[in-house]
């Protein structure tokens, strides 16, 4: 290892390198390339369980030393940060502004780079998208130590390929993200949430009513047998629109302050999951939610597992948590449910799996039509397959 | 038989005689896009009507190693659809079907040749619309929008094409057909959809697009404010953003641009004002009304000399006509002009405009300015007269302006793309390794280099043996960012 890089050993015994700047990050990757070492990139470690388990690696690159606030320009609505900075820390440093991302892992310390590499998002994705929609530039180090930038420091920019997108969802397999430039938005003055108790079938209808009204909710999610409709804006505006939505739907309770906070953090807890659970996330057409929720119930019962589900109703993002039963049960539900989602053109990513699940059902489903393309990109960026080996197996 | 003659025969069998153009006179219709300075007559033009036909054409080109260039409406302003002489143009103009309108899921599935405006028209009855609104929206195609990641006046609030397409059916350069993206923004693995958007037709041909539709806002408020200086107009924009307000649009025009626009469409702009600022707010009625008052207050605080509030849709339309006509209208006050499209960090607008004015004065040329003030996307129009031998000077000035934007920490292009026009300026903005990495990705899609070759990335053939020296990024020089 390069002498400029501080080595340390992690609890699980793997040599871990924690670069503190771009030069150290490049040296780390170059050294690994020279030695033919296989590399796992780790941020805060909140999502290392996403995708297929990585095969044994020789070195872990810990990004948390790359935690500098590089440039914050509130009047340009942009901020550049090291990829290892915790998103929660970044949010604290923005004055009257925010990164409009509320992924469930953020309170657990998830890093900006890790959030990009997972393509994660939360309920706000309905109006602001996920990090892929908020990233305007990246600096990455490729497997061979090449430092490459794409995008830039301005919101509007179409020069060159938008490589930021390639790293969104790449789970550390295309390169090490070192620096990220983000677009920020004004922090709203207030928020209110209308909570309407209803079954999932009714939730889709009710969400449709609100979404086709001009009330502009920022998030519409179903969780714990309630439809949660969040409004943000001026205090008067958020209150008035939540009230109007309640009139429109004919029922529900307007939540603010602690009760509102509790409703959304309950949803986040389900999404984060816990040890022993299997957690999956699916993307489908929004109106298929009742069908897939019903199917999940049937499969869970058949295989002796209990299943909980939450969904971004307007965008078609569903997170499922399986608890109890046997690994075979988890595997069977995963396999059966995923097959139907894929058949309908959707996608499924496993976020965590109870031990033994993957012995029954593979981490990824059948390879998509894009697999040859993904393989070809991987080949150009990491020909020796040294980064996160196995993360997307058997796709690439 | 030559490769082209062979292709013509093979593809006539697939597309029928109406789908193949080889007549030299007709071929000339395709020799350039909206950037008429570059012209190349293609060897063949193909007009497929289905994805299968596009795939058949691409497969045939791939087999014969003949380069191909996709073309939508040809309104591009960077020479992106410029043909290759020994190659073919694949026009998507006959793929104009609105495949599915799905109001329940707020989306539509369209073929690539559908115009941007046709989408909003088709879904208007459901109170929905497609948000990105380039000024060329009546004619430009959604396929071209995807390739250029086009934006419009309202993209400050709503984002660009990339934020509004969910999935792309794509014919890859080897002729295989894949969907990139999916029915939801949640996809498994890397965002290939997002990579395809803005790739300027170099990674494949888009044959189907799933667009996201937005609910029309309840209220829209528009005003036109005059200011004694561009700087005061710019400060107003800064104050609005500082107040946490994100208007749907903020556009500034200078006196020369106003003069041109008035001569062309007479939208009622004040002729002798040094600067005009168009501001549009939209959203829920009550809040939008309150914010609109706050915005007017900020205009006054910055010394506005006149505010015209659009009383109804007709007047709003007139204000926008004045703004949108400015481009073409410049033809009224100058025989020829170049349009630039650089971006500067918004906070450096005043500096950028001052430098541009000085550069214009030095070159002895007039520069009119129309720009998206909210995001720093400039559209300086360099006016010149070919008859007076000003072409070369104007071209040089135009290029220098684009590169100035990079020097100020911005970008060569905010929406028009790199294409043929700015490929040789790319080394000003990106280092050798950045460009080499982009090239690696390109080759992953197109190892044979057949898909819109010579566009976007500098090549020795295009730019001379050395595509230009690497210069440190200005933010590096300032110590704001570091390469290493
Ligand atoms: C000892 C321990 C055990 C844990 N066990 C579990 C468990 O069993 N199940 C579970 O769900 N969670 C577990 N966690 C929590 C989980 O690992 C972390 O919460 C999570 O990884 C958060 O880190 P992150 O969000 O910053 O990204 P990470 O989780 O570190 O990374 C997420 C993904 O993004 C990639 N990545 C991250 N940063 C970058 C970057 N800068 N460039 C490129 N790629 C990058 C990674 O390679 C990975 O594929 C555990 C945590 C610890 C410390
Ligand atoms: C008066 C005027 C005003 C304009 N205003 C704006 C504006 O406000 N904002 C803005 O962003 N742009 C603007 N433009 C530029 C232009 O209209 C856009 O770039 C538009 O998206 C181009 O669409 P097109 O169908 O004309 O594409 P073309 O010009 O035909 O092609 C553009 C590029 O896209 C590729 N391409 C086309 N179709 C496909 C496809 N199906 N698959 C893959 N690649 C494809 C071509 O190869 C080429 O590289 C303006 C142009 C004019 C003339």
């Amino acid at each position: 290892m390069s002498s400029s890089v501080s080595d340390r050993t992690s609890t699980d015994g793997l040599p871990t390198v924690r670069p503190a700047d771009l030069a150290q990050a490049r040296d780390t990757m170059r050294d690994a390339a020279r030695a033919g070492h296989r590399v796992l990139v780790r941020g805060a470690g909140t999502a290392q369980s996403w995708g297929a388990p990585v095969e044994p690696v020789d070195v872990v690159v810990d990004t948390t030393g790359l935690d500098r606030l590089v440039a914050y320009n509130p009047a340009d609505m942009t901020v550049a940060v090291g990829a290892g900075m915790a998103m929660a820390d970044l949010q604290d440093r923005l004055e009257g502004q925010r990164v409009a991302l509320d992924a469930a892992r953020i309170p657990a310390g998830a890093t900006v780079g890790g959030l990009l590499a997972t393509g994660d998002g939360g309920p706000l994705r309905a109006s602001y998208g996920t990090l892929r929609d908020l990233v305007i530039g990246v600096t990455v180090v490729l497997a061979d130590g090449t430092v490459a930038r794409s995008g830039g420091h301005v919101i509007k920019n179409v020069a060159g390929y938008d490589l930021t997108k390639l790293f969104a969802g790449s789970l550390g397999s295309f390169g090490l993200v070192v620096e990220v430039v983000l677009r920020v938005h004004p922090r709203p003055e207030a928020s209110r949430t209308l909570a309407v108790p209803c079954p999932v079938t009714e939730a889709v209808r009710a969400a449709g009513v609100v979404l086709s009204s001009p009330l502009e909710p920022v998030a519409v999610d179903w969780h714990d047998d309630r439809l949660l409709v969040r409004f943000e804006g001026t205090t008067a505006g958020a209150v008035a629109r939540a009230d109007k939505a309640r009139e429109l739907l004919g029922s529900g309770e307007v939540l603010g302050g602690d009760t509102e906070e509790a409703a959304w953090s309950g949803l986040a807890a389900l999404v984060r999951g816990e040890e022993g659970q299997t957690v999956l996330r699916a993307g489908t057409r929004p109106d298929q939610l009742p069908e897939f929720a019903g199917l999940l119930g049937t499969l869970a019962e058949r295989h002796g597992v209990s299943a909980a589900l939450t969904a971004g109703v307007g965008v078609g993002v569903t997170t499922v948590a399986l608890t109890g039963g046997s690994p075979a049960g988890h595997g069977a539900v995963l396999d059966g449910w995923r097959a139907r989602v894929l058949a309908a053109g959707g996608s499924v990513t496993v976020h965590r799996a109870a031990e033994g699940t993957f012995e029954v059902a593979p981490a990824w489903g059948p390879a998509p039509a894009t697999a040859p393309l993904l393989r070809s990109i991987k080949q150009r960026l990491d020909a020796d397959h040294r980064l996160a080996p196995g993360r997307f197996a058997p796709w690439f | 038989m030559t490769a082209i003659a062979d292709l013509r025969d093979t593809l006539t069998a697939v597309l029928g005689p109406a789908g193949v153009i080889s007549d030299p006179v007709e071929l000339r219709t395709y020799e350039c896009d909206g950037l008429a300075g570059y012209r190349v007559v293609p060897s063949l033009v193909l007009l497929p009507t289905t994805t299968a036909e596009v795939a058949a054409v691409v497969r045939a080109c791939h087999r014969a190693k003949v380069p191909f260039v996709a073309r939508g409406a040809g309104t591009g302003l960077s020479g992106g659809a410029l043909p290759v002489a020994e190659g073919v143009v694949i026009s998507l103009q006959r793929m104009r079907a609105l495949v599915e309108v799905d109001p329940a899921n707020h989306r539509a599935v369209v073929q690539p040749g559908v115009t941007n405006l046709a989408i909003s028209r088709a879904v208007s009855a459901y109170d929905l619309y497609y948000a990105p609104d380039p000024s060329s929206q009546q004619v430009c195609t959604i396929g071209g929008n995807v390739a250029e990641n086009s934006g419009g006046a309202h993209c400050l609030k709503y984002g660009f094409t990339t934020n509004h397409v969910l999935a792309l059916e794509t014919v890859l350069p080897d002729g295989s057909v894949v969907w990139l993206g999916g029915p939801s923004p949640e996809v498994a693995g890397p965002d290939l959809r997002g990579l395809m958007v803005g790739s300027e037709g170099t990674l494949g041909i888009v044959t189907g697009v799933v667009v996201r539709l937005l609910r029309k806002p309840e209220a829209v408020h528009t005003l036109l404010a005059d200011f004694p200086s561009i700087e005061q107009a710019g400060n107003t924009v800064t104050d609005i953003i500082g107040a946490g307000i994100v208007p749907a649009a903020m556009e500034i025009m200078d006196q020369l641009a106003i003069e041109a626009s008035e001569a062309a469409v007479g939208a009622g702009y004040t002729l002798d004002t040094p600067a005009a600022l168009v501001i549009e707010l939209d959203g829920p009625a009550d809040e939008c009304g309150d914010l609109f008052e706050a915005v007017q207050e900020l205009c006054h605080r910055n010394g506005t000399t006149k505010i015209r509030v659009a009383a109804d849709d007709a007047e709003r339309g007139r204000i926008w006509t004045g703004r949108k006509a400015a481009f073409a209208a410049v033809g009224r006050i100058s025989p020829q002009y170049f349009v630039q499209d650089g971006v500067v960090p918004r906070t450096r607008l005043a500096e950028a405009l001052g430098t541009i004015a000085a550069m214009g004065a030095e070159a002895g040329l007039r520069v009119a300015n129309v720009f998206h003030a909210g995001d720093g996307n400039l559209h300086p129009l360099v006016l010149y007269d070919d008859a007076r031998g000003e072409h070369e000077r104007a071209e040089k000035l135009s290029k220098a302006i684009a590169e100035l934007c990079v020097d100020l920490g911005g970008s060569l292009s905010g929406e028009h793309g790199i294409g043929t026009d700015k490929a040789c300026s790319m080394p000003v903005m990106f280092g050798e390794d950045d460009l080499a990495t982009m090239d690696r990705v390109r080759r992953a899609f197109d190892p044979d280099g057949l898909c819109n070759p010579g566009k976007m990335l500098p090549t020795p053939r295009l730019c001379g043996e050395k595509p230009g020296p690497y210069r440190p990024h200005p933010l590096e020089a300032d110590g704001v960012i570091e390469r290493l």
Side-chain angles (χ1 to χ4, degrees):
Chain A
M1 290 294 143
S2 156
S3 57
S4 60
V5 176
S6 60
D7 290 21
R8 65 187 177 98
T9 307
S10 76
T11 42
D12 48 8
L14 277 176
T16 299
V17 188
R18 188 167 176 267
D21 59 26
L22 180 56
Q24 291 186 8
R26 180 206 51 190
D27 290 348
T28 301
M29 297 296 273
R30 270 193 197 162
D31 290 348
R34 270 189 211 119
H37 282 162
R38 311 215 285 178
V39 177
L40 177 66
V41 178
R42 183 162 70 199
T46 55
Q48 285 298 338
S49 57
W50 287 38
V54 167
E55 291 160 20
V57 297
D58 306 298
V59 62
V60 171
V61 177
D62 173 346
T63 66
T64 56
L66 300 163
D67 60 351
R68 228 155 50 85
L69 184 74
V70 181
Y72 174 37
N73 300 311
D76 291 327
M77 298 190 283
T78 63
V79 64
V81 289
M85 183 186 273
M87 182 62 88
D89 292 345
L90 174 59
Q91 299 285 26
D92 285 344
R93 295 170 77 162
L94 302 176
E95 300 138 23
Q97 297 181 320
R98 64 171 175 179
V99 178
L101 183 85
D102 56 354
R105 291 150 51 213
I106 292 174
T111 61
V112 173
L115 287 160
L116 176 62
T118 50
D120 200 5
L124 276 179
R125 65 164 79 77
S127 35
Y128 295 94
T130 59
L131 211 50
R132 79 178 192 198
D133 295 286
L134 302 169
V135 173
I136 57 176
V138 284
T139 303
V140 300
V141 184
L142 301 181
D144 61 6
T146 300
V147 175
R149 271 174 213 288
S150 110
H153 285 254
V154 283
I155 293 173
K156 202 170 179 191
N157 174 13
V158 297
Y161 293 127
D162 187 356
L163 298 186
T164 63
K165 300 295 194 287
L166 205 47
F167 292 89
S170 64
L171 297 178
S173 60
F174 283 168
L176 165 67
V177 179
V178 173
E179 193 182 303
V180 176
V181 191
L182 299 169
R183 176 190 181 157
V184 297
H185 288 86
R187 204 181 285 273
E189 189 180 288
S191 87
R192 289 293 183 278
T193 294
L194 174 69
V196 186
C198 63
V200 71
T201 39
E202 170 59 16
V204 171
R205 192 203 62 82
V209 171
V210 182
L211 288 166
S212 50
S213 80
L215 295 174
E216 299 194 10
V218 291
V220 183
D221 287 66
W222 186 77
H223 173 244
D224 204 10
D225 291 317
R226 290 193 297 180
L227 182 69
L228 301 174
V229 188
R230 193 196 309 175
F231 297 93
E232 294 181 347
T234 62
T235 308
V239 169
R241 283 186 283 135
D243 283 341
K244 279 187 193 161
R246 187 178 47 185
E247 278 165 36
L248 201 60
L249 296 179
S251 66
E253 181 191 356
V254 177
L255 312 177
D258 290 346
T259 54
E260 183 183 21
E261 177 73 34
W264 292 103
S265 56
L267 185 157
L270 172 71
V271 169
R272 279 195 302 272
E274 50 193 61
E275 194 66 39
Q277 289 184 327
T278 296
V279 177
L280 351 157
R281 185 174 290 162
T284 68
R285 220 177 57 209
D287 64 354
Q288 292 175 315
L289 172 62
E291 177 192 337
F292 289 121
L295 175 67
L296 180 71
T298 310
L299 287 170
E301 197 173 334
R302 186 181 309 154
H303 297 286
V305 172
S306 57
L309 167 157
T310 179
V313 183
V315 281
V317 178
T318 301
T319 308
V320 167
L322 306 178
T323 318
S326 64
H330 285 225
V333 175
L334 164 59
D335 233 14
W337 196 70
R338 178 168 60 194
R340 290 277 288 274
V341 170
L342 298 186
S347 66
V348 174
T349 304
V350 178
H351 287 187
R352 67 168 71 225
E355 204 170 326
T357 302
F358 291 151
E359 280 154 34
V360 181
W364 297 103
T370 49
L373 191 54
L374 289 167
R375 236 170 270 141
S376 176
I377 296 169
K378 175 75 171 174
Q379 187 64 27
R380 299 277 172 179
L381 299 183
D382 175 22
D384 305 328
H385 292 245
R386 288 186 296 98
L387 298 188
R391 182 64 93 194
F392 280 98
W395 296 4
F396 67 89
Chain B
M1 218 178 344
T2 68
I4 294 289
D6 204 19
L7 264 185
R8 187 192 55 211
D9 295 349
T10 315
L11 293 175
T12 304
V14 179
L15 306 176
V20 181
I21 296 175
S22 57
D23 172 65
V25 177
E26 283 181 68
L27 286 176
R28 290 205 55 183
T29 321
Y30 295 85
E31 69 182 354
C32 67
D33 61 7
L35 187 73
Y38 295 96
R39 290 165 197 269
V40 173
V41 180
S43 294
L44 206 59
V45 173
L46 304 159
L47 300 156
T49 54
T50 62
T51 301
E53 287 182 2
V54 174
V57 171
V58 172
R59 266 198 310 275
C61 290
H62 183 247
R63 221 178 298 123
K65 300 283 173 266
V66 168
F68 51 91
V69 179
R71 181 183 172 100
T75 67
L77 292 171
S78 55
L82 183 75
V84 175
E86 292 302 314
V88 308
V89 165
I90 302 174
S91 166
L92 287 312
Q93 283 283 21
R94 299 211 311 190
M95 292 183 70
R96 286 179 171 269
L98 281 151
V99 180
E100 186 193 355
V101 174
D102 178 2
N105 289 298
H106 286 207
R107 65 194 56 198
V109 184
V110 301
Q111 286 193 325
V114 169
T115 64
N116 174 294
L117 193 58
I119 300 174
S120 288
R121 288 224 172 106
V123 302
S124 177
Y126 304 101
D127 284 331
L128 299 172
Y129 74 113
Y130 176 67
D133 59 339
S135 301
S136 50
Q137 67 182 152
Q138 295 203 16
V139 279
C140 67
T141 66
I142 189 72
N145 291 178
V146 166
E148 301 289 4
N149 190 17
S150 299
H154 295 80
C155 60
L156 173 67
K157 178 169 176 186
Y158 292 105
F160 315 92
T161 303
T162 189
N163 308 111
H164 297 273
V165 301
L166 287 167
L168 301 170
E169 185 187 55
T170 306
V171 176
L172 296 174
D174 65 359
S176 57
V177 181
V178 293
W179 275 95
L180 309 177
S184 143
E186 169 70 27
V187 293
D191 180 21
L192 297 175
R193 170 213 66 91
L195 178 64
M196 180 60 61
V197 176
S199 62
E200 303 193 8
T202 63
L203 301 181
I205 299 188
V206 172
T207 51
V209 185
V210 182
V211 296
R212 202 162 74 89
L213 304 170
L214 298 189
R215 172 64 166 81
K216 285 184 200 164
E218 185 176 26
V220 183
H221 294 290
T222 310
L223 67 75
L224 171 65
D226 295 346
F227 286 91
S229 69
I230 292 262
E231 204 176 345
Q232 282 161 284
N235 290 341
T236 308
V237 172
T238 302
D239 287 353
I240 290 171
I241 287 173
I245 301 171
V246 181
M250 288 192 280
E251 305 279 307
I252 293 180
M253 288 163 71
D254 72 4
Q255 192 171 357
L256 207 50
I258 294 169
E259 184 190 326
S261 165
E262 280 301 302
V265 296
Y269 282 56
T270 310
L271 269 178
D272 57 0
T273 187
L277 170 61
V278 177
I279 303 174
E280 189 157 287
L281 291 181
D282 65 18
D286 293 348
E287 282 148 289
C288 193
D290 292 346
L291 295 177
F292 195 56
E293 280 181 21
V295 162
Q296 291 182 60
E297 171 56 29
L298 292 172
C299 289
H300 286 297
R301 220 182 284 166
N302 282 287
T304 180
T305 49
K306 180 180 164 191
I307 294 184
R308 173 176 159 199
V309 173
D312 52 27
D313 281 348
E315 192 167 8
R316 180 178 3 272
R318 270 197 303 284
I319 291 176
W320 277 112
T321 300
R323 159 63 186 84
K324 294 196 174 180
F327 261 132
V330 166
R332 301 254 173 172
I333 59 167
S334 173
Q336 283 94 22
Y337 60 96
F338 283 113
V339 187
Q340 269 307 348
D341 167 48
V343 187
V344 296
R346 229 191 41 70
T347 41
R348 300 187 78 173
L349 266 177
E351 190 182 347
L353 293 169
T355 310
I356 290 170
M359 287 159 72
E362 193 177 329
L365 294 168
R366 293 183 299 167
V367 181
N369 285 293
V370 187
F371 53 93
H372 305 300
D375 50 35
N377 186 193
L378 305 175
H379 287 309
L381 297 139
V382 176
L383 316 188
Y384 70 97
D385 186 351
D386 231 352
R388 287 162 54 185
E390 293 172 346
H391 180 101
E392 211 169 297
R393 235 186 312 148
E395 194 172 13
K396 229 174 108 188
L397 173 60
S398 185
K399 182 164 184 256
I401 289 174
E403 298 186 356
L404 166 75
C405 292
V406 178
D407 282 345
L408 293 173
S411 169
L412 287 170
S413 176
E415 53 188 22
H416 297 166
I418 299 301
T420 308
D421 188 36
K422 290 182 279 279
C424 300
S425 291
M426 285 287 272
V428 175
M429 183 162 167
F430 294 105
E432 228 171 288
D433 286 347
D434 306 338
L435 295 173
T437 301
M438 290 183 197
D439 194 51
R440 286 200 211 180
V441 171
R442 184 175 192 158
R443 282 160 193 274
F445 281 74
D446 180 24
D448 302 308
L450 298 175
C451 191
N452 210 3
K455 312 295 164 61
M456 184 192 273
L457 298 177
T459 62
R461 199 173 141 222
L462 199 65
C463 312
E465 268 319 306
K466 282 211 149 137
Y470 164 67
R471 297 193 314 176
H473 190 283
L475 287 179
E476 283 179 73
D478 292 355
V480 176
I481 60 171
E482 51 187 347
R483 175 154 299 271
L484 282 182

